[in-house]
Amino acid sequence: MSTLLTGSVIATGLSAQELGWPEKEELKFGFIKLTDMAPLAVAYEKGYFEEEGLYVTLEAQANWKVLLDRVIDGQLDGAHMLAGQPLGATIGYGTKADIITAFSMDLNGNAITVSNDIWKEMKKHVSHENGKPVHPISAVSLKPVVDDFRSKGKPFKMGMVFPVSTHNYELRYWLAAGGIHPGYYAPHKGDTSGQIDAEALLSVTPPPQMPSTMEAGTIHGYCVGEPWNQQAVFKGIGVPVVTDYEIWKNNPEKVFGVSKGWAEENPNTHIRVVKAMIRAAMWLDENNNANRPEAVKILSKSQYVGADYEVIANSMTGTFEYEKGDKRDVPDFNVFFRYNATYPFYSDAIWYLTQMRRWGQISEPKADSWYKDIAKQVYRPDIYAQAAKALIAEGKAKAVDFPEFATETGFKPAQTHFIDNIVYDGSTPNAYLEKFAIGLKNDSKI
Amino acid sequence: MIFNQVRQINWPSLNQFLTATALPIVGIVIFLGLWSLMAKNIDTSLGKFPGPASVWQQTIVLVDEHNAQMDKADKFYERQEQRNAARLAKDPSYASKIRGFTGAPTFFEQIWTSLYTVMVGFIVASLLAIPIGILCGLSKNAYTAINPLIQLFKPVSPLAWLPLVTMVVSAVYVSSDPMFSKSFITSAVTVALCCLWPTLINTAVGVSSIDKDLINVSKVLRLNGLSHVTKIVLPSSIPAIFTGLRLSLGIGWMVLIAAEMLAQNPGLGKFVWDEFQNGSSESLARIMVAVLTIGVIGFALDRIMLALQRTFSWDKSAVLR
């Protein structure tokens, strides 16, 4: 079935120049107030949506759950989503619904922040050079702090944004790589707290409330996207210890999700939306991030991210401030287009599925072929390719900016840049899971 | 001597002037003073708590943003006309139309949305509450049957209703080209559910305490049911009904802000929530502008209801406040 689908799609893809008029012209897209919603804001403000004949309204949503529900029930035509959301919805973890994505919105962009008190303790175990901590900082230095909490019978709590969020998996990955167990889920027993066997207790906190929740002492640290880590530095309430770029270099982050039904009813509209967003992503990365200051100005408007210009600029313009005053160059902290950031790779989808299995959100063992089937159901490079080819035909993009569509398998070569040096190969998910000391694998079950 | 004269002549009017105008001003000035004094001493993680000056400054910013957005809207329509013309040239079968501006709603448009939503919810609630209230007032049996339900649902918070209303509206209100957005319906229904009760109770009380003489008149004249309600019941219970309506509208306005926050209806509630999420150094001042706006509008709505109550009430001697 899936090969049949791709076959017919490639046939239409060849006549990309004749892309039809949009079926639906008035669209409403949802987003969460995070800097990685930038491609949407830019596509709107730069008129890319309008040039495709689309009249788009962008609307901030209260939280990820509301956003997903509104895409499912049709109040929103599409939305800025966590990469795990279309996958989680498709396999029925949380809400069951068919959501697909043809556009990956960015790479990296998150960080893990701990409160000042925790950092003071942690710092003792971090090696220093010229008076400054050596990055990347591993959770090994956090381990004694967590052990101390546990010996005193106090819970060590951290925040993340959603059960199927990138942030949840990144935080778990970092903790587990440092020997701290982040806990298992057991949905078949009705346990969706994710705290079975946990040494660090993780819970959901909406991104904008992270700094205030940590300040109130409810959580000791969190993993979240920008600007909420830099916000902690600005307010002097916490220290970002590691960016997700250091946990997994150039990890895929948000996607643009639509419901499968919507995509089937509005194929031309969908391609045009992707076209506009590819152009926005290109603009964001153009000339070595030259447009970033202008992008920050757009994002700091109250209807988009709305945080102060300085806070957003801190990470969007290629730097990242760890401890106050310790500002370092991280040119790839936010990547929107280069390294094929916008292409929906199957291997990216499979990585998220492996982490869902690792932490018990997928309670039963699954065959390698199952991982690939789900990835192909949800990630739709075929639609992306049509949009890219149309842009190339119109002279708005160059073929070299994209993967070679004819030969691209959707699987990145084995990736080596993880903080624990474990190699990820998307074609063998079960073998990958076996490499972890902490986590479910093979037929292990909670 | 002159001083004495002034005292003799002006005392009564000065006294009136003091109580009517000067005292409220004194109250407001003291409030502003205390507010700015306290604001200086409250440090939040978003900076100092906004004082009157920064709130005023943000009011001006909101007006400027509104004007800028209106300019953008004009350009949007211009571009749209050009685009429609270009498409018609290529595709003559195209039924071109002008779509509404897609930009974010400004503060003033959000105020309008809130007013519109609360009015719809309030009118729906009143249309339900007044007839049921009349029924309860006329028939002791009906009242005994319905009273437990009224007492049960009256104290329920809008936040408890909202998830239920949201899911029901999503399930029931399905249309390919909806006239109203779901968030609007959800908010209006929640408002209606919460502001139903004061009108219902007051109507029932008003109807049941009609003067016995009037009821006897109706009996003597052998008025039929409908005439009895329209000629005797309604006119004599108007003051009580209006008391209920005034209370209902006040509750509706309060409930609306909470409903909009959660239902994402683009009114003042969403404005407050979005600003809270923004967490910029100006957010608190902007929220404070919304708080004051909500207060002023609530006050204005109440005064309008009071004026209506005075107009419709036959008992001009009653003290209304």
Side-chain angles (χ1 to χ4, degrees):
Chain A
M1 179 63 201
S2 73
T3 47
L4 212 155
L5 246 176
T6 5
S8 68
V9 159
I10 285 169
T12 47
L14 289 173
S15 53
Q17 299 94 314
E18 298 150 31
L19 177 60
W21 300 108
E23 296 84 1
K24 190 173 179 193
E25 297 173 327
E26 283 162 276
L27 304 169
K28 189 187 257 186
F29 296 150
F31 67 89
I32 296 290
K33 289 178 172 285
L34 292 167
T35 53
D36 49 30
M37 60 76 64
L40 282 169
V42 169
Y44 180 86
E45 294 289 333
K46 290 276 147 194
Y48 299 149
F49 282 133
E50 283 185 33
E51 284 177 33
E52 296 297 332
L54 305 173
Y55 298 91
V56 172
T57 305
L58 298 176
E59 194 183 83
Q61 304 298 307
N63 58 53
W64 292 113
K65 167 104 179 86
V66 166
L67 174 140
L68 181 64
D69 287 346
R70 296 186 83 200
V71 170
I72 293 170
D73 74 10
Q75 292 189 62
L76 296 174
D77 294 290
H80 163 229
M81 281 186 190
L82 297 158
Q85 277 187 306
L87 293 163
T90 301
I91 63 171
Y93 185 79
T95 318
K96 172 89 181 104
D98 284 324
I99 305 284
I100 64 165
T101 176
F103 182 84
S104 177
M105 286 183 72
D106 64 321
L107 305 180
N108 312 323
N110 301 327
I112 295 172
T113 295
V114 297
S115 71
N116 288 334
D117 292 343
I118 301 294
W119 173 240
K120 216 174 81 190
E121 291 305 311
M122 226 180 127
K123 209 175 171 180
K124 296 173 188 164
H125 309 283
V126 174
S127 51
H128 281 64
E129 214 170 69
N130 304 327
K132 279 188 175 178
V134 180
H135 285 275
I137 294 174
S138 148
V140 170
S141 54
L142 179 65
K143 177 95 172 139
V145 184
V146 174
D147 288 345
D148 186 49
F149 264 78
R150 283 163 57 77
S151 68
K152 287 180 187 153
K154 285 190 293 182
F156 183 81
K157 292 188 272 189
M158 292 186 90
M160 47 83 183
V161 307
F162 202 64
V164 296
S165 65
T166 330
H167 317 81
N168 187 18
Y169 304 125
E170 283 167 358
L171 183 54
R172 282 165 180 274
Y173 198 101
W174 181 71
L175 289 170
I180 302 168
H181 200 307
Y184 290 128
Y185 292 85
H188 55 295
K189 291 180 183 164
D191 187 332
T192 51
S193 64
Q195 297 182 345
I196 300 170
D197 298 342
E199 292 171 311
L201 304 175
L202 272 45
S203 60
V204 170
T205 308
Q209 271 107 286
M210 287 290 185
S212 48
T213 312
M214 187 170 76
E215 201 184 5
T218 316
I219 50 177
H220 302 104
Y222 54 74
C223 179
V224 72
E226 279 313 303
W228 308 112
N229 296 290
Q230 294 299 293
Q231 189 84 289
V233 181
F234 264 69
K235 293 178 182 176
I237 58 172
V239 177
V241 286
V242 65
T243 64
D244 61 341
Y245 178 78
E246 296 158 313
I247 299 172
W248 175 18
K249 187 174 156 186
N250 291 335
N251 65 90
E253 228 282 308
K254 300 288 182 328
V255 296
F256 180 76
V258 300
S259 81
K260 196 176 168 197
W262 183 92
E264 279 162 3
E265 279 166 33
N266 306 293
N268 292 337
T269 312
H270 195 187
I271 295 170
R272 286 172 180 272
V273 170
V274 174
K275 274 174 75 182
M277 289 182 68
I278 291 176
R279 287 183 70 193
M282 287 169 64
W283 182 86
L284 278 161
D285 276 11
E286 227 164 54
N287 304 328
N288 254 333
N289 299 352
N291 293 327
R292 292 291 178 91
E294 191 185 338
V296 174
K297 217 166 149 191
I298 293 173
L299 291 178
S300 63
K301 287 189 188 175
S302 66
Q303 73 259 38
Y304 298 125
V305 181
D308 291 344
Y309 180 93
E310 296 76 22
V311 176
I312 301 177
N314 238 14
S315 66
M316 273 286 277
T317 49
T319 57
F320 192 79
E321 192 169 2
Y322 292 90
E323 259 179 298
K324 207 158 204 152
D326 184 3
K327 204 173 192 174
R328 306 193 186 192
D329 282 335
V330 188
D332 284 342
F333 185 80
N334 277 117
V335 173
F336 291 101
F337 189 71
R338 52 182 177 266
Y339 319 129
N340 294 325
T342 52
Y343 189 81
F345 285 98
Y346 294 137
S347 53
D348 293 346
I350 291 173
W351 188 80
Y352 282 102
L353 291 169
T354 62
Q355 300 305 301
M356 290 179 188
R357 171 69 189 127
R358 184 181 179 191
W359 303 117
Q361 290 177 335
I362 298 172
S363 50
E364 301 281 336
K366 301 282 182 189
D368 281 359
S369 60
W370 179 87
Y371 287 91
K372 285 172 201 167
D373 287 346
I374 297 291
K376 284 180 182 171
Q377 267 179 46
V378 178
Y379 276 46
R380 297 293 297 275
D382 52 319
I383 296 168
Y384 180 95
Q386 291 180 72
K389 283 175 190 165
L391 285 175
I392 295 167
E394 289 165 24
K396 288 173 181 154
K398 290 188 292 285
V400 291
D401 293 335
F402 299 102
E404 189 57 57
F405 293 119
T407 55
E408 178 60 54
T409 58
F411 284 86
K412 287 183 187 166
Q415 286 162 273
T416 52
H417 302 284
F418 284 86
I419 195 167
D420 53 2
N421 296 319
I422 287 177
V423 177
Y424 168 62
D425 181 353
S427 60
T428 53
N430 279 302
Y432 176 60
L433 281 171
E434 276 179 56
K435 297 179 188 170
F436 295 113
I438 301 178
L440 300 183
K441 56 191 74 119
N442 297 330
D443 43 10
S444 53
K445 219 177 149 181
I446 296 294
Chain B
M1 181 66 190
I2 294 167
F3 186 66
N4 249 348
Q5 260 181 359
V6 170
R7 263 176 69 173
Q8 274 170 6
I9 298 162
N10 285 348
W11 250 126
S13 62
L14 186 67
N15 210 349
Q16 263 176 0
F17 170 77
L18 262 180
T19 42
T21 329
L23 282 181
I25 292 177
V26 170
I28 289 171
V29 168
I30 292 176
F31 168 73
L32 288 178
L34 283 176
W35 173 15
S36 55
L37 201 74
M38 275 178 40
K40 278 191 196 112
N41 293 308
I42 303 177
D43 262 312
T44 74
S45 56
L46 295 179
K48 290 247 183 285
F49 191 83
S54 54
V55 170
W56 175 243
Q57 191 198 338
Q58 282 309 313
T59 312
I60 294 167
V61 170
L62 284 168
V63 173
D64 290 346
E65 281 177 8
H66 176 77
N67 293 335
Q69 195 74 337
M70 292 299 104
D71 286 347
K72 266 182 100 174
D74 290 343
K75 288 188 189 122
F76 170 86
Y77 288 117
E78 260 171 48
R79 283 199 308 273
Q80 196 176 164
E81 271 167 26
Q82 288 167 6
R83 201 156 279 127
N84 278 344
R87 175 155 174 191
L88 269 176
K90 260 203 249 174
D91 175 21
S93 65
Y94 180 56
S96 78
K97 62 168 181 174
I98 294 294
R99 295 154 201 86
F101 180 49
T102 56
T106 66
F107 186 63
F108 299 95
E109 289 168 319
Q110 285 171 313
I111 293 177
W112 172 244
T113 308
S114 282
L115 279 174
Y116 179 63
T117 314
V118 84
M119 277 306 157
V120 170
F122 172 67
I123 289 168
V124 168
S126 307
L127 290 179
L128 282 173
I130 295 175
I132 300 176
I134 291 175
L135 182 71
C136 289
L138 288 177
S139 148
K140 193 132 183 51
N141 289 342
Y143 179 74
T144 320
I146 298 175
N147 188 40
L149 296 174
I150 299 176
Q151 301 306 331
L152 181 70
F153 289 121
K154 189 171 61 119
V156 175
S157 147
L159 302 179
W161 280 121
L162 207 89
L164 296 173
V165 175
T166 308
M167 296 321 285
V168 170
V169 168
S170 300
V172 176
Y173 186 67
V174 186
S175 138
S176 56
D177 185 24
M179 204 158 78
F180 304 107
S181 67
K182 281 181 183 163
S183 59
F184 164 77
I185 306 248
T186 308
S187 310
V189 169
T190 309
V191 167
L193 277 174
C194 293
C195 73
L196 199 65
W197 315 108
T199 305
L200 208 167
I201 294 168
N202 277 285
T203 308
V205 169
V207 171
S208 63
S209 55
I210 299 174
D211 201 327
K212 281 279 171 306
D213 293 344
L214 289 170
I215 295 178
N216 290 335
V217 168
S218 170
K219 278 181 183 156
V220 167
L221 293 177
R222 299 182 176 225
L223 291 180
N224 62 21
L226 188 67
S227 312
H228 174 66
V229 169
T230 52
K231 305 276 185 217
I232 307 283
V233 173
L234 268 179
S236 41
S237 49
I238 279 278
I241 293 178
F242 265 95
T243 308
L245 287 175
R246 231 178 112 192
L247 286 170
S248 282
L249 187 58
I251 290 182
W253 183 242
M254 256 162 67
V255 162
L256 176 79
I257 304 300
E260 283 182 337
M261 273 192 187
L262 292 170
Q264 300 284 298
N265 190 44
L268 283 169
K270 185 160 161 54
F271 175 85
V272 170
W273 185 249
D274 282 349
E275 283 300 332
F276 177 51
Q277 306 273 305
N278 283 352
S280 85
S281 51
E282 282 124 27
S283 291
L284 293 181
R286 291 163 75 99
I287 292 174
M288 204 63 207
V289 176
V291 166
L292 295 177
T293 310
I294 292 166
V296 167
I297 292 174
F299 178 67
L301 289 176
D302 192 62
R303 289 290 118 164
I304 292 169
M305 287 307 291
L306 183 65
L308 285 175
Q309 192 176 357
R310 284 204 174 116
T311 319
F312 286 105
S313 175
W314 39 265
D315 187 3
K316 303 290 181 197
S317 64
V319 180
L320 298 171
R321 49 166 87 211

